[in-house]
Amino acid sequence: FLDAHPSVCFDITPGTEMYENFSNNWEASREFFMKYADRIYLGTDVNDFGQENYANHCGLYHTTREFMRGTEGFTWRNVECKPFGLSADIADKITWQNFMKVLGDDPKPVNYEKVLEELDAIEAVKNTLCEKDLAEYARVNAYFRNKVTE
């Protein structure tokens, strides 16, 4: 697919099963990451930063970085991981540089009107959210509504 569509990029949010599959098919997985390093972005759909913060030493970002760059096997969430041992150049592309190419050096202004539209759309379906997501929605909603009135 990636060879047939050279403009396509994708994000990777490694979870336990991915580390297990990467480790079990180590050579092919490592080659894939090396070949497509310019088109892979580290991303996440995790919104629970209370348990494993991306910034702390045992968090998801650290685990991904160690898996990309490391050479010593380690256990993560009961999975034996065999790191790729990628060069710093390749690992940095995947873990942050590719994202920064898209983001750019200068932060873009927040379009508060669009943010409020999205919050209104979530408001319409908030009864489908779990308790944790409701609490997060309330926090984000209050934050942005206050920003608009400042």
Side-chain angles (χ1 to χ4, degrees), residues 21-66:
N21 289 324
F22 294 156
S23 296
N24 289 340
N25 196 6
W26 186 84
E27 198 168 302
S29 297
R30 185 176 188 274
E31 287 297 320
F32 177 86
F33 278 84
M34 289 173 39
K35 181 177 181 178
Y36 298 109
D38 290 325
R39 297 166 62 190
I40 303 170
Y41 298 76
L42 174 62
T44 184
D45 54 2
V46 174
N47 65 359
D48 183 2
F49 294 103
Q51 292 182 0
E52 289 194 345
N53 190 313
Y54 261 63
N56 76 24
H57 72 282
C58 64
L60 298 171
Y61 173 80
H62 177 77
T63 303
T64 303
R65 184 174 162 83
E66 284 303 304

Side-chain angles (χ1 to χ4, degrees), residues 82-101:
K82 182 180 178 183
F84 289 149
L86 300 173
S87 69
D89 289 344
I90 291 174
D92 287 349
K93 284 180 184 181
I94 294 167
T95 57
W96 67 274
Q97 289 176 350
N98 291 339
F99 177 77
M100 291 305 295
K101 281 193 301 190

Side-chain angles (χ1 to χ4, degrees), residues 93-149:
K93 284 180 184 181
I94 294 167
T95 57
W96 67 274
Q97 289 176 350
N98 291 339
F99 177 77
M100 291 305 295
K101 281 193 301 190
V102 173
L103 183 65
D105 292 332
D106 297 320
K108 308 298 185 268
V110 174
N111 183 334
Y112 289 102
E113 183 177 313
K114 290 291 183 189
V115 171
L116 295 179
E117 285 177 19
E118 290 300 316
L119 289 169
D120 290 342
I122 294 170
E123 180 72 27
V125 297
K126 76 177 187 179
N127 63 327
T128 65
L129 301 176
C130 69
E131 187 176 321
K132 179 185 74 161
D133 289 340
L134 274 171
E136 185 66 13
Y137 167 73
R139 187 182 69 77
V140 170
N141 191 34
Y143 174 83
F144 280 103
R145 300 232 183 249
N146 287 337
K147 281 294 205 185
V148 171
T149 60

